[in-house]
Amino acid sequence: MAFEGASKIWMNGRLIPWDEAKIHVCSHVVHYGSAVFEGARVYNTAKGPMAFRLRDHMQRLIDSAKIYRMVPSYSVDDLCRAALETVRANDMEECYLRPIVYRGYAQLGVNPTKCPIDTAIAVWKWGAYLGPEALAAGVDVTVSTWTRSAPNTFPTMAKAAANYMNSQLINMEAKERGFNEGIALTPSGHVSEGSGENIFIVWKGRIITPPLSDSVLPGITRDCVITLARELGYTVEEQSIPREMLYVADEVFFTGSAAEVTPIRSVDHVQVGIGRRGPVTEKIQTAFFAAVKGESPKHNDWLTPVRG
């Protein structure tokens, strides 16, 4: 059964019916997690559907693939065209985009170099990742017992499928303990990120987010928020955050293509700030949604028309 609203998937240069998008059980990706992927959104605006920072997402996909020596035979421009074609083929005004590059079927064994490099793009309707009420009310999170990868183990700058085994453990543990989401620490005990989101804190008038060196994915929404916050006059710093700062921060919020800008109302049952979306988070949310909806002319270059 197709995900909501979806009927076709782009695979290796062709649009095919959703139910025909299949791979062999002995494909390398199934056994060894050899895939990199992206998550992007298309927003419905007054000028029609627009893909948000599409080229940046596709460039990060290529960069992730390069780290794993699995660069596809498609350029960034090719992938952007394919993504827009897939949205049009599914007749969607607003959707989530999932491009993936993976090692396909040839032989098994840890060394993947003889396996083909396949590419696919799926789209479907996906609302607020942590729930529509979370954008105002905030979410309850916990610091996970699972840590992010140590430096020189898994490259966290790559958005690789295998990295998300760690994310699954973080998220499942949080849900089992009654929380909406978990926050991972680095091996040295600094705040890293959520299972699938970057994190920011507001503390003493400054906005702080962990640096990439703290096992952080270079989030595209993270980059947008840094830009927007500085335009709003805030001081934004990238620095290591000790765990206890989560409990004393004035505000804490997640960012991500799926999560967008989601406030955190409590960490480990300790209320954050006023216990719901704070004023700084609200201003950043407003600026972010204005940008993605095409209501901020200054950032129209972040938008790519789906219909040309």
Side-chain angles (χ1 to χ4, degrees), residues 155-210:
T156 53
M157 285 189 67
K159 193 174 175 68
N163 293 10
Y164 283 78
M165 293 297 285
N166 176 256
S167 295
Q168 290 175 52
L169 292 170
I170 293 164
N171 186 269
M172 288 188 294
E173 178 188 59
K175 295 289 177 62
E176 287 166 0
R177 292 166 58 187
F179 296 93
N180 302 107
E181 181 59 291
I183 295 173
L185 303 180
T186 68
S188 61
H190 293 127
V191 174
S192 178
E193 56 188 0
S195 71
E197 310 90 0
N198 293 124
I199 192 167
F200 289 78
I201 71 168
V202 181
W203 188 62
K204 296 186 176 181
R206 295 176 293 146
I207 297 174
I208 305 171
T209 193

Coordinates of all heavy atoms in Angstrom, one line a residue, residues 155-210:
P155 N 30.9 8.6 10.2 CA 31.0 10.0 9.8 C 29.6 10.6 9.9 O 28.7 10.4 9.1 CB 31.4 10.0 8.4 CG 31.1 8.7 7.8 CD 31.1 7.7 9.0
T156 N 29.4 11.5 10.9 CA 28.1 12.0 11.2 C 27.7 13.2 10.2 O 26.6 13.6 10.2 CB 28.0 12.5 12.7 OG1 29.0 13.4 12.9 CG2 28.0 11.4 13.6
M157 N 28.7 13.7 9.5 CA 28.3 14.6 8.4 C 27.6 14.0 7.3 O 27.0 14.7 6.4 CB 29.6 15.4 8.0 CG 30.1 16.4 9.0 SD 31.4 17.4 8.3 CE 30.5 18.4 7.0
A158 N 27.7 12.7 7.2 CA 26.9 12.0 6.1 C 25.6 11.6 6.7 O 25.5 11.0 7.8 CB 27.7 10.7 5.7
K159 N 24.5 11.8 5.9 CA 23.2 11.4 6.3 C 23.0 10.0 5.8 O 22.4 9.7 4.8 CB 22.1 12.3 5.7 CG 20.7 12.2 6.3 CD 19.8 13.2 5.8 CE 18.4 13.0 6.3 NZ 18.2 13.3 7.7
A160 N 23.6 9.0 6.5 CA 23.7 7.6 6.1 C 22.6 6.8 6.9 O 22.3 7.0 8.0 CB 25.1 7.1 6.4
A161 N 22.1 5.8 6.2 CA 21.0 5.0 6.7 C 21.5 4.3 8.0 O 20.8 4.2 9.0 CB 20.6 4.0 5.7
A162 N 22.8 3.8 8.0 CA 23.3 3.0 9.1 C 23.4 3.9 10.4 O 23.2 3.4 11.5 CB 24.7 2.5 8.8
N163 N 23.6 5.2 10.2 CA 23.6 6.1 11.4 C 22.3 6.1 12.2 O 22.2 6.3 13.4 CB 23.9 7.5 11.0 CG 25.3 7.7 10.5 OD1 26.0 6.7 10.2 ND2 25.7 8.9 10.2
Y164 N 21.2 5.8 11.4 CA 19.9 5.8 12.0 C 19.5 4.6 12.8 O 18.4 4.6 13.4 CB 18.9 6.2 11.0 CG 18.9 7.7 10.6 CD1 20.0 8.2 9.8 CD2 18.1 8.6 11.2 CE1 20.1 9.5 9.5 CE2 18.2 10.0 10.9 CZ 19.2 10.4 10.1 OH 19.3 11.8 9.8
M165 N 20.4 3.6 12.9 CA 20.2 2.5 13.8 C 20.3 3.1 15.2 O 19.6 2.8 16.2 CB 21.1 1.4 13.6 CG 20.9 0.6 12.3 SD 19.3 -0.2 12.2 CE 19.6 -1.6 13.3
N166 N 21.3 4.0 15.4 CA 21.5 4.7 16.7 C 20.3 5.5 17.0 O 19.8 5.6 18.1 CB 22.8 5.5 16.6 CG 23.0 6.4 17.8 OD1 22.8 7.6 17.8 ND2 23.5 5.8 18.9
S167 N 19.8 6.2 16.0 CA 18.6 7.1 16.1 C 17.4 6.3 16.6 O 16.6 6.7 17.4 CB 18.3 7.8 14.9 OG 19.3 8.7 14.5
Q168 N 17.2 5.1 16.0 CA 16.1 4.2 16.4 C 16.1 3.9 17.8 O 15.1 3.9 18.5 CB 16.1 3.0 15.5 CG 15.8 3.2 14.0 CD 15.9 1.9 13.2 OE1 15.3 0.9 13.6 NE2 16.7 2.0 12.1
L169 N 17.3 3.5 18.3 CA 17.4 3.2 19.7 C 17.1 4.3 20.6 O 16.4 4.2 21.6 CB 18.9 2.7 20.0 CG 19.3 1.4 19.4 CD1 20.8 1.1 19.6 CD2 18.5 0.2 20.0
I170 N 17.5 5.5 20.2 CA 17.3 6.7 21.0 C 15.8 7.0 21.0 O 15.2 7.3 22.1 CB 18.0 7.9 20.4 CG1 19.5 7.8 20.6 CG2 17.5 9.3 21.0 CD1 20.4 8.7 19.8
N171 N 15.1 6.9 19.9 CA 13.7 7.2 19.8 C 12.8 6.2 20.5 O 11.9 6.5 21.2 CB 13.3 7.4 18.3 CG 11.9 7.8 18.1 OD1 11.0 7.0 18.0 ND2 11.7 9.1 18.1
M172 N 13.1 4.9 20.3 CA 12.3 3.9 20.9 C 12.4 3.9 22.4 O 11.4 3.8 23.1 CB 12.8 2.5 20.4 CG 12.4 2.2 19.0 SD 12.7 0.5 18.5 CE 14.5 0.4 18.5
E173 N 13.6 4.2 22.9 CA 13.8 4.3 24.4 C 13.0 5.4 24.9 O 12.3 5.3 25.9 CB 15.3 4.5 24.7 CG 15.6 4.7 26.2 CD 17.0 5.1 26.5 OE1 17.4 6.1 26.0 OE2 17.7 4.3 27.2
A174 N 13.0 6.6 24.2 CA 12.2 7.7 24.7 C 10.7 7.4 24.7 O 10.1 7.7 25.7 CB 12.5 8.9 23.8
K175 N 10.2 6.8 23.7 CA 8.8 6.5 23.6 C 8.4 5.4 24.7 O 7.4 5.6 25.3 CB 8.5 5.9 22.2 CG 8.6 6.9 21.1 CD 7.6 8.0 21.1 CE 7.8 9.0 20.0 NZ 7.7 8.5 18.7
E176 N 9.3 4.5 24.9 CA 9.0 3.4 25.9 C 8.9 4.1 27.3 O 8.2 3.6 28.2 CB 10.1 2.4 25.9 CG 10.0 1.4 24.7 CD 11.2 0.6 24.5 OE1 12.2 0.7 25.3 OE2 11.2 -0.2 23.5
R177 N 9.7 5.2 27.5 CA 9.7 5.9 28.8 C 8.6 7.0 28.9 O 8.6 7.7 29.9 CB 11.1 6.4 29.1 CG 12.1 5.3 29.3 CD 13.6 5.8 29.2 NE 13.8 6.9 30.2 CZ 15.0 7.6 30.2 NH1 15.9 7.3 29.3 NH2 15.2 8.5 31.1
G178 N 7.8 7.1 27.9 CA 6.7 8.1 27.9 C 7.0 9.4 27.4 O 6.2 10.4 27.6
F179 N 8.1 9.6 26.7 CA 8.5 10.9 26.1 C 8.2 10.9 24.6 O 8.1 9.9 24.0 CB 10.0 11.2 26.4 CG 10.4 11.3 27.8 CD1 10.8 10.2 28.6 CD2 10.2 12.5 28.5 CE1 11.1 10.3 29.9 CE2 10.6 12.6 29.8 CZ 11.0 11.5 30.6
N180 N 8.2 12.2 24.1 CA 8.0 12.3 22.6 C 9.2 12.0 21.8 O 9.2 11.5 20.7 CB 7.5 13.7 22.3 CG 6.3 14.1 23.0 OD1 6.3 14.9 23.9 ND2 5.1 13.6 22.6
E181 N 10.4 12.3 22.4 CA 11.7 12.2 21.7 C 12.8 12.1 22.7 O 12.7 12.4 23.9 CB 11.8 13.4 20.7 CG 13.0 13.5 19.9 CD 13.2 12.3 18.9 OE1 13.5 11.2 19.5 OE2 13.1 12.5 17.7
G182 N 14.0 11.7 22.1 CA 15.2 11.6 23.0 C 16.3 12.6 22.4 O 16.3 12.9 21.3
I183 N 17.2 13.0 23.3 CA 18.3 13.8 23.0 C 19.6 12.9 23.3 O 19.7 12.4 24.3 CB 18.4 15.1 23.8 CG1 17.2 16.0 23.5 CG2 19.7 15.8 23.6 CD1 17.1 17.2 24.4
A184 N 20.4 12.9 22.3 CA 21.7 12.1 22.4 C 22.8 13.0 22.9 O 22.9 14.2 22.5 CB 22.1 11.5 21.1
L185 N 23.7 12.5 23.7 CA 24.9 13.2 24.1 C 26.1 12.6 23.3 O 26.0 11.5 22.7 CB 25.2 13.0 25.6 CG 24.1 13.4 26.6 CD1 24.6 13.1 28.0 CD2 23.8 14.9 26.4
T186 N 27.2 13.4 23.2 CA 28.4 12.9 22.6 C 29.1 11.9 23.6 O 28.8 11.9 24.8 CB 29.3 14.0 22.3 OG1 29.8 14.6 23.5 CG2 28.6 15.1 21.5
P187 N 30.1 11.2 23.1 CA 30.9 10.3 24.1 C 31.5 11.1 25.2 O 31.8 10.6 26.3 CB 31.9 9.7 23.2 CG 31.3 9.7 21.8 CD 30.5 11.0 21.7
S188 N 31.7 12.4 25.0 CA 32.3 13.2 26.1 C 31.3 13.9 27.0 O 31.6 14.6 27.9 CB 33.2 14.3 25.5 OG 32.5 15.2 24.7
G189 N 30.0 13.6 26.7 CA 28.9 14.1 27.6 C 28.3 15.4 27.2 O 27.4 15.9 27.9
H190 N 28.6 16.0 26.0 CA 28.0 17.2 25.5 C 26.7 16.9 24.8 O 26.6 15.8 24.2 CB 29.0 18.0 24.6 CG 30.2 18.5 25.3 ND1 31.4 18.3 24.9 CD2 30.3 19.3 26.4 CE1 32.3 18.9 25.7 NE2 31.6 19.5 26.7
V191 N 25.8 17.8 24.7 CA 24.6 17.7 23.9 C 25.0 17.6 22.4 O 25.7 18.4 21.9 CB 23.7 18.9 24.2 CG1 22.4 18.8 23.2 CG2 23.2 18.9 25.6
S192 N 24.4 16.6 21.8 CA 24.6 16.4 20.3 C 23.4 16.8 19.6 O 23.3 17.9 19.0 CB 25.0 15.0 20.0 OG 25.2 14.8 18.6
E193 N 22.3 16.0 19.5 CA 21.1 16.3 18.8 C 20.0 15.3 19.2 O 20.3 14.4 20.0 CB 21.4 16.2 17.3 CG 21.9 14.9 16.8 CD 22.4 14.9 15.3 OE1 22.2 16.0 14.7 OE2 22.8 13.9 14.8
G194 N 18.8 15.4 18.6 CA 17.8 14.5 18.8 C 18.0 13.3 17.9 O 19.0 13.2 17.1
S195 N 17.0 12.3 17.9 CA 17.2 11.1 17.1 C 17.2 11.5 15.6 O 17.8 10.8 14.8 CB 16.1 10.1 17.4 OG 14.8 10.5 17.0
G196 N 16.5 12.6 15.3 CA 16.4 13.0 13.9 C 16.3 14.5 13.7 O 15.7 15.0 12.7
E197 N 16.8 15.2 14.7 CA 16.6 16.7 14.7 C 17.9 17.4 15.3 O 18.5 16.8 16.2 CB 15.5 17.1 15.6 CG 14.2 16.4 15.4 CD 14.0 15.2 16.3 OE1 14.9 14.9 17.0 OE2 12.9 14.5 16.1
N198 N 18.2 18.5 14.8 CA 19.2 19.4 15.5 C 18.6 20.1 16.6 O 17.3 20.1 16.8 CB 19.8 20.4 14.5 CG 20.6 19.8 13.4 OD1 20.3 20.0 12.2 ND2 21.6 19.0 13.7
I199 N 19.4 20.6 17.5 CA 18.8 21.2 18.7 C 19.5 22.6 19.0 O 20.7 22.8 18.7 CB 19.0 20.3 20.0 CG1 18.2 20.8 21.2 CG2 20.5 20.2 20.3 CD1 18.1 19.7 22.3
F200 N 18.7 23.5 19.5 CA 19.1 24.9 19.9 C 18.6 25.1 21.3 O 17.6 24.7 21.7 CB 18.5 25.9 19.0 CG 19.0 26.0 17.6 CD1 18.6 25.0 16.6 CD2 19.9 27.0 17.2 CE1 19.1 25.1 15.3 CE2 20.4 27.0 15.9 CZ 20.0 26.1 14.9
I201 N 19.4 26.0 22.0 CA 18.9 26.5 23.3 C 19.0 28.0 23.3 O 19.8 28.6 22.6 CB 19.7 25.9 24.5 CG1 21.1 26.5 24.6 CG2 19.8 24.4 24.5 CD1 21.9 26.2 25.9
V202 N 18.1 28.6 24.1 CA 18.2 30.1 24.3 C 18.6 30.2 25.7 O 17.9 29.7 26.7 CB 16.8 30.7 24.1 CG1 16.9 32.2 24.3 CG2 16.3 30.4 22.7
W203 N 19.7 31.0 25.9 CA 20.3 31.1 27.3 C 20.9 32.4 27.4 O 21.8 32.8 26.7 CB 21.3 30.0 27.5 CG 21.8 29.9 28.9 CD1 21.1 29.6 30.0 CD2 23.2 30.0 29.3 NE1 22.0 29.5 31.1 CE2 23.3 29.8 30.7 CE3 24.4 30.4 28.6 CZ2 24.4 29.9 31.5 CZ3 25.6 30.4 29.4 CH2 25.6 30.2 30.8
K204 N 20.4 33.2 28.4 CA 20.9 34.5 28.7 C 21.0 35.4 27.4 O 22.1 36.1 27.2 CB 22.3 34.4 29.4 CG 22.2 33.7 30.7 CD 23.6 33.8 31.5 CE 23.4 33.2 32.9 NZ 24.7 33.1 33.6
G205 N 20.0 35.4 26.7 CA 19.9 36.3 25.5 C 20.6 35.8 24.3 O 20.6 36.5 23.2
R206 N 21.3 34.7 24.3 CA 22.0 34.1 23.2 C 21.3 32.8 22.7 O 20.6 32.1 23.5 CB 23.4 33.8 23.5 CG 24.3 35.0 23.9 CD 25.7 34.6 24.3 NE 25.6 33.9 25.6 CZ 26.5 32.9 25.9 NH1 27.4 32.4 25.0 NH2 26.4 32.3 27.1
I207 N 21.5 32.5 21.5 CA 21.0 31.2 20.9 C 22.2 30.4 20.6 O 23.2 30.8 20.0 CB 20.2 31.5 19.6 CG1 18.9 32.3 19.9 CG2 19.8 30.1 19.0 CD1 18.1 32.7 18.7
I208 N 22.2 29.2 21.2 CA 23.4 28.3 21.1 C 23.0 27.0 20.5 O 21.9 26.4 20.8 CB 24.0 28.1 22.5 CG1 24.3 29.4 23.2 CG2 25.3 27.2 22.4 CD1 24.7 29.3 24.7
T209 N 23.8 26.5 19.6 CA 23.6 25.1 19.0 C 25.0 24.4 19.0 O 26.0 25.0 18.8 CB 23.0 25.3 17.6 OG1 22.5 24.0 17.2 CG2 24.0 25.8 16.6
P210 N 24.9 23.1 19.2 CA 26.2 22.3 19.2 C 26.9 22.5 17.8 O 26.3 22.6 16.8 CB 25.8 20.9 19.4 CG 24.4 21.0 20.1 CD 23.8 22.2 19.5

